[in-house]
């Protein structure tokens, strides 16, 4: 159920952000979408845990935040020479996959010593803190056409 909710949220976020959001607004959405991606997950640390319906809605809403990749990739391409776009996107993808794998290992190790819900909540909080620390550098409010 939760994987299906995540997929639905990702589809909704990517479709609305990529297809229906004007470039001027899309350029401003990178940081808010990154925050949305992690914001609901600290709820999992609650005791007793929230009902599955609440978690399903939280996962769906949070997964809309995966659309943060679209404005951030546009920014990357805007700052990269056209003949290097493939290389830049390849490096971006490799870096993201490496970081995701390392964080999954960290989450597993943390869950072994605490609980899965605690591990998820801790890593989501770390994600929120990291996004907030990087927000100033990630916030470029001008759309690509105006840079």
């Amino acid at each position: 159920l939760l994987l299906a909710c995540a997929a639905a949220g990702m589809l909704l976020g990517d479709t609305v952000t990529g297809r229906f959001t004007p470039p001027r607004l899309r350029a401003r959405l990178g940081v808010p979408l990154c925050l949305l991606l992690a914001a609901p997950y600290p709820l999992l640390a609650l005791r007793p845990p929230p009902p599955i319906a609440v978690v399903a809605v939280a996962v769906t809403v949070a997964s809309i935040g995966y659309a943060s990749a679209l404005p951030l990739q546009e920014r990357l391409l805007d700052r990269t020479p056209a003949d290097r776009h493939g290389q830049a996107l390849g490096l971006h993808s490799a870096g993201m996959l490496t970081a995701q794998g390392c964080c999954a290992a960290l989450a597993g190790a943390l869950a072994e010593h605490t609980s899965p819900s605690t591990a998820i909540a801790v890593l989501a909080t770390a994600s929120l803190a990291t996004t907030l620390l990087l927000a100033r550098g990630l916030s470029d409010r001008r759309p690509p056409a105006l840079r």
Side-chain angles (χ1 to χ4, degrees):
L1 173 67
L2 296 181
L3 289 174
C5 289
M10 288 168 54
L11 176 64
L12 177 64
D14 282 348
T15 302
V16 170
T17 302
R19 183 74 175 131
F20 300 110
T21 303
R24 182 176 300 276
L25 177 59
R26 191 170 49 241
R28 297 180 185 169
L29 289 178
V31 171
L33 287 169
C34 283
L35 291 170
L36 178 62
L37 185 56
Y41 289 103
L43 287 174
L44 295 177
L46 296 175
R47 299 284 183 241
I52 190 66
V54 171
V55 175
V57 169
V59 167
T60 304
V61 170
S63 296
I64 291 170
Y66 279 109
S68 64
L70 299 174
L72 295 175
Q73 285 175 352
E74 284 178 341
R75 220 175 136 204
L76 173 66
L77 293 178
D78 187 47
R79 285 159 174 77
T80 306
D83 64 333
R84 304 283 183 177
H85 281 182
Q87 186 177 11
L89 287 174
L91 269 164
H92 170 265
S93 178
M96 288 280 271
L97 289 173
T98 300
Q100 288 172 352
C102 290
C103 286
L106 177 62
L110 186 57
E112 286 289 323
H113 297 320
T114 59
S115 70
S117 60
T118 299
I120 291 169
V122 166
L123 289 173
T125 303
S127 176
L128 289 168
T130 301
T131 300
L132 291 172
L133 286 171
L134 298 175
R136 185 176 175 104
L138 293 174
S139 294
D140 188 274
R141 303 212 181 277
R142 295 171 294 153
L146 299 178
R147 289 188 198 127

